Amino acid sequence: MTIAVTGATGQLGRLVLEELLSSQEPGSLVAVVRDAAKAEQLRARGVQVRVADYSDAVALTEALKGVDRLLLVSGSEVGARVAQHGNVVSAAKAAGVGFIAYTSVLAADTTELILAPEHKATEELIRASGLDNTILRNGWYTENYAQTVATARQTGVVVAAAGDGRVASATRADYAAAAAAVLSSTGHEGRTYELSGDYAWDFKELASAITKIAGREVVYQPVSAPELVEVLTTAGLDEGTAGFLAALDTDTKAGLLATVTGELSGLIGRPTTPLLQALEAATAS
């Protein structure tokens, strides 16, 4: 059985391969990457490295030849992802891939989360392809708050427009372990997993965790979305990025990241990583 992972040198993809390397022969693994130079360590360990960009359908088809099971890690280019993901799905079908898993987002077909539409469209493409598939609807990554920790170390304040909203986050390693479990075993075909952390924390708890890491008191300062945009633009962010981040906080306030399902810990056979432990690891360097 040959297993391929796209975006294999990215933050999630490399962790999936690490998990797979603990149970699979290196030669049975394929790392699909944009830059071969970044995958030299994988090649040195015996992993097959194949170069293909999400925008290059021909290269993707060549890269996926002989692959039995594929993980499509969602791309990072917001606005271009549906076309790019469509290229991967079409290439997988043309190359004879038997199974595809995709990293989507929680409740992609019903949520109002600002990031959801491209994921919903990709899920529809995968189902329409006729390929056996599993949809991995990943919740929020705790590592997304690493910059929040860095800022709060300096200011003593967590500024957010999230109100009393909660976040059932988990680490990338937690989600990677789930993806590896699905790729390396059968019985997941046709399933859609709603994956999230075991506990939904609020921003007061986030501030408390940062207090322990920073060694100084850190408090949560809730603000409105327009106020957050002003804070972020004053700090140097462009208007578009600031607005996007404020919208994510608004979604958090609405409870769109708070869902606890237990499906992630069920797949990985252990509890998900607690907030403080995850933040300590994410900010250790």
Short mmCIF file of all heavy atoms in Angstrom, two decimals, residues 145 147-160 203 206-208 210-211 214 216-223 228 231:
data_model
loop_
_atom_site.label_atom_id
_atom_site.label_comp_id
_atom_site.label_asym_id
_atom_site.label_seq_id
_atom_site.Cartn_x
_atom_site.Cartn_y
_atom_site.Cartn_z
N TYR A 145 -2.55 30.50 18.25
CA TYR A 145 -2.47 31.51 19.30
C TYR A 145 -1.04 31.76 19.76
O TYR A 145 -0.82 32.45 20.76
CB TYR A 145 -3.38 31.13 20.48
CG TYR A 145 -4.82 31.08 20.04
CD1 TYR A 145 -5.41 29.88 19.66
CD2 TYR A 145 -5.58 32.24 19.94
CE1 TYR A 145 -6.71 29.82 19.21
CE2 TYR A 145 -6.89 32.20 19.49
CZ TYR A 145 -7.45 30.98 19.12
OH TYR A 145 -8.74 30.94 18.67
N GLN A 147 1.19 33.65 18.37
CA GLN A 147 1.46 35.09 18.28
C GLN A 147 0.77 35.85 19.41
O GLN A 147 1.30 36.84 19.93
CB GLN A 147 1.03 35.65 16.93
CG GLN A 147 1.35 37.12 16.72
CD GLN A 147 2.84 37.42 16.90
OE1 GLN A 147 3.69 36.77 16.31
NE2 GLN A 147 3.16 38.41 17.75
N THR A 148 -0.42 35.36 19.79
CA THR A 148 -1.12 35.97 20.92
C THR A 148 -0.27 35.88 22.19
O THR A 148 -0.19 36.82 22.97
CB THR A 148 -2.47 35.27 21.15
OG1 THR A 148 -3.25 35.35 19.96
CG2 THR A 148 -3.25 35.92 22.29
N VAL A 149 0.37 34.74 22.38
CA VAL A 149 1.25 34.56 23.53
C VAL A 149 2.41 35.55 23.47
O VAL A 149 2.74 36.22 24.45
CB VAL A 149 1.80 33.11 23.59
CG1 VAL A 149 2.81 32.97 24.73
CG2 VAL A 149 0.67 32.11 23.76
N ALA A 150 3.03 35.65 22.29
CA ALA A 150 4.18 36.53 22.14
C ALA A 150 3.81 37.98 22.43
O ALA A 150 4.55 38.70 23.12
CB ALA A 150 4.73 36.41 20.72
N THR A 151 2.65 38.41 21.95
CA THR A 151 2.22 39.79 22.18
C THR A 151 1.89 40.02 23.65
O THR A 151 2.29 41.04 24.23
CB THR A 151 0.98 40.10 21.31
OG1 THR A 151 1.32 39.93 19.93
CG2 THR A 151 0.51 41.54 21.55
N ALA A 152 1.19 39.07 24.25
CA ALA A 152 0.77 39.23 25.64
C ALA A 152 1.95 39.20 26.61
O ALA A 152 1.90 39.79 27.68
CB ALA A 152 -0.24 38.14 26.01
N ARG A 153 3.02 38.52 26.23
CA ARG A 153 4.24 38.55 27.06
C ARG A 153 4.71 40.00 27.24
O ARG A 153 5.21 40.39 28.30
CB ARG A 153 5.36 37.76 26.36
CG ARG A 153 5.32 36.26 26.51
CD ARG A 153 6.53 35.68 25.79
NE ARG A 153 6.53 34.24 25.69
CZ ARG A 153 7.04 33.42 26.59
NH1 ARG A 153 7.59 33.91 27.69
NH2 ARG A 153 7.01 32.11 26.41
N GLN A 154 4.56 40.78 26.17
CA GLN A 154 5.03 42.16 26.18
C GLN A 154 4.03 43.13 26.80
O GLN A 154 4.40 44.06 27.52
CB GLN A 154 5.36 42.60 24.75
CG GLN A 154 6.37 41.73 24.04
CD GLN A 154 7.72 41.71 24.74
OE1 GLN A 154 8.20 42.74 25.20
NE2 GLN A 154 8.33 40.53 24.83
N THR A 155 2.75 42.89 26.52
CA THR A 155 1.72 43.87 26.89
C THR A 155 0.95 43.52 28.16
O THR A 155 0.37 44.40 28.79
CB THR A 155 0.70 44.02 25.76
OG1 THR A 155 0.01 42.77 25.57
CG2 THR A 155 1.39 44.42 24.46
N GLY A 156 0.92 42.23 28.51
CA GLY A 156 0.13 41.79 29.65
C GLY A 156 -1.36 41.71 29.36
O GLY A 156 -2.17 41.54 30.28
N VAL A 157 -1.71 41.81 28.07
CA VAL A 157 -3.13 41.83 27.69
C VAL A 157 -3.38 40.94 26.49
O VAL A 157 -2.59 40.93 25.54
CB VAL A 157 -3.59 43.27 27.36
CG1 VAL A 157 -5.06 43.29 26.95
CG2 VAL A 157 -3.35 44.20 28.53
N VAL A 158 -4.48 40.18 26.52
CA VAL A 158 -5.00 39.48 25.34
C VAL A 158 -6.19 40.30 24.84
O VAL A 158 -7.22 40.38 25.51
CB VAL A 158 -5.46 38.05 25.67
CG1 VAL A 158 -6.17 37.42 24.47
CG2 VAL A 158 -4.27 37.19 26.09
N VAL A 159 -6.02 40.94 23.71
CA VAL A 159 -7.08 41.76 23.13
C VAL A 159 -7.76 40.95 22.03
O VAL A 159 -7.11 40.50 21.09
CB VAL A 159 -6.51 43.06 22.54
CG1 VAL A 159 -7.64 43.91 21.95
CG2 VAL A 159 -5.76 43.85 23.61
N ALA A 160 -9.08 40.77 22.16
CA ALA A 160 -9.82 39.98 21.17
C ALA A 160 -11.28 40.41 21.14
O ALA A 160 -11.81 40.93 22.13
CB ALA A 160 -9.71 38.49 21.47
N PHE A 203 -11.46 32.87 26.54
CA PHE A 203 -10.28 33.73 26.45
C PHE A 203 -9.75 34.16 27.82
O PHE A 203 -8.59 34.54 27.94
CB PHE A 203 -10.56 34.93 25.53
CG PHE A 203 -10.39 34.58 24.08
CD1 PHE A 203 -11.25 33.68 23.45
CD2 PHE A 203 -9.36 35.11 23.34
CE1 PHE A 203 -11.08 33.33 22.12
CE2 PHE A 203 -9.18 34.78 22.00
CZ PHE A 203 -10.04 33.88 21.39
N LEU A 206 -7.46 31.39 28.31
CA LEU A 206 -6.28 31.63 27.48
C LEU A 206 -5.33 32.59 28.17
O LEU A 206 -4.12 32.35 28.25
CB LEU A 206 -6.69 32.19 26.12
CG LEU A 206 -5.57 32.58 25.17
CD1 LEU A 206 -4.69 31.39 24.81
CD2 LEU A 206 -6.14 33.24 23.89
N ALA A 207 -5.86 33.68 28.72
CA ALA A 207 -5.04 34.65 29.42
C ALA A 207 -4.38 34.02 30.65
O ALA A 207 -3.21 34.30 30.96
CB ALA A 207 -5.88 35.86 29.83
N SER A 208 -5.11 33.17 31.34
CA SER A 208 -4.56 32.48 32.51
C SER A 208 -3.41 31.56 32.13
O SER A 208 -2.38 31.51 32.82
CB SER A 208 -5.67 31.68 33.20
OG SER A 208 -5.16 30.96 34.30
N ILE A 210 -1.47 31.92 29.50
CA ILE A 210 -0.34 32.75 29.10
C ILE A 210 0.34 33.34 30.33
O ILE A 210 1.57 33.51 30.36
CB ILE A 210 -0.79 33.86 28.12
CG1 ILE A 210 -1.36 33.23 26.85
CG2 ILE A 210 0.38 34.78 27.77
CD1 ILE A 210 -1.98 34.24 25.89
N THR A 211 -0.44 33.64 31.37
CA THR A 211 0.14 34.12 32.63
C THR A 211 1.17 33.14 33.16
O THR A 211 2.27 33.52 33.59
CB THR A 211 -0.97 34.33 33.68
OG1 THR A 211 -1.82 35.41 33.27
CG2 THR A 211 -0.38 34.66 35.05
N ALA A 214 4.24 33.22 30.71
CA ALA A 214 4.98 34.49 30.68
C ALA A 214 5.59 34.86 32.01
O ALA A 214 6.53 35.67 32.07
CB ALA A 214 4.06 35.61 30.21
N ARG A 216 4.10 36.54 34.24
CA ARG A 216 3.53 37.84 34.62
C ARG A 216 2.03 37.76 34.43
O ARG A 216 1.52 36.91 33.70
CB ARG A 216 4.10 38.97 33.74
CG ARG A 216 3.77 38.82 32.26
CD ARG A 216 4.15 40.04 31.44
NE ARG A 216 3.37 41.21 31.82
CZ ARG A 216 3.48 42.40 31.20
NH1 ARG A 216 4.35 42.55 30.21
NH2 ARG A 216 2.75 43.42 31.59
N GLU A 217 1.32 38.64 35.08
CA GLU A 217 -0.14 38.60 34.95
C GLU A 217 -0.56 39.06 33.56
O GLU A 217 -0.12 40.09 33.06
CB GLU A 217 -0.81 39.49 36.01
CG GLU A 217 -2.33 39.39 35.95
CD GLU A 217 -3.02 40.26 37.00
OE1 GLU A 217 -2.33 41.06 37.66
OE2 GLU A 217 -4.25 40.15 37.13
N VAL A 218 -1.41 38.25 32.96
CA VAL A 218 -1.99 38.58 31.65
C VAL A 218 -3.51 38.53 31.80
O VAL A 218 -4.05 37.57 32.35
CB VAL A 218 -1.52 37.59 30.57
CG1 VAL A 218 -2.25 37.86 29.24
CG2 VAL A 218 -0.01 37.68 30.37
N VAL A 219 -4.18 39.55 31.33
CA VAL A 219 -5.64 39.61 31.44
C VAL A 219 -6.27 39.67 30.04
O VAL A 219 -5.62 40.06 29.07
CB VAL A 219 -6.10 40.84 32.26
CG1 VAL A 219 -5.57 40.75 33.69
CG2 VAL A 219 -5.64 42.13 31.60
N TYR A 220 -7.53 39.27 29.98
CA TYR A 220 -8.28 39.32 28.72
C TYR A 220 -9.03 40.63 28.64
O TYR A 220 -9.76 41.00 29.55
CB TYR A 220 -9.24 38.14 28.66
CG TYR A 220 -10.24 38.19 27.51
CD1 TYR A 220 -9.86 38.60 26.24
CD2 TYR A 220 -11.56 37.79 27.71
CE1 TYR A 220 -10.77 38.64 25.19
CE2 TYR A 220 -12.47 37.81 26.67
CZ TYR A 220 -12.09 38.24 25.41
OH TYR A 220 -12.99 38.28 24.38
N GLN A 221 -8.85 41.34 27.52
CA GLN A 221 -9.56 42.59 27.27
C GLN A 221 -10.47 42.42 26.06
O GLN A 221 -10.01 42.52 24.92
CB GLN A 221 -8.56 43.73 27.01
CG GLN A 221 -9.23 45.08 26.75
CD GLN A 221 -8.21 46.16 26.44
OE1 GLN A 221 -7.07 46.10 26.89
NE2 GLN A 221 -8.62 47.15 25.66
N PRO A 222 -11.76 42.16 26.29
CA PRO A 222 -12.67 42.02 25.15
C PRO A 222 -12.97 43.38 24.52
O PRO A 222 -13.15 44.38 25.22
CB PRO A 222 -13.94 41.42 25.78
CG PRO A 222 -13.87 41.80 27.21
CD PRO A 222 -12.43 41.93 27.58
N VAL A 223 -12.99 43.39 23.19
CA VAL A 223 -13.31 44.61 22.45
C VAL A 223 -14.30 44.26 21.34
O VAL A 223 -14.56 43.08 21.06
CB VAL A 223 -12.04 45.25 21.83
CG1 VAL A 223 -11.08 45.70 22.91
CG2 VAL A 223 -11.36 44.28 20.87
N LEU A 228 -11.13 46.07 17.38
CA LEU A 228 -10.00 45.18 17.12
C LEU A 228 -9.32 45.54 15.81
O LEU A 228 -8.09 45.53 15.73
CB LEU A 228 -10.47 43.72 17.09
CG LEU A 228 -9.36 42.69 16.86
CD1 LEU A 228 -8.33 42.75 17.98
CD2 LEU A 228 -9.93 41.28 16.74
N VAL A 231 -7.10 48.40 16.51
CA VAL A 231 -5.91 47.97 17.25
C VAL A 231 -4.90 47.32 16.31
O VAL A 231 -3.70 47.61 16.35
CB VAL A 231 -6.29 46.98 18.39
CG1 VAL A 231 -5.04 46.32 18.97
CG2 VAL A 231 -7.06 47.70 19.48
#
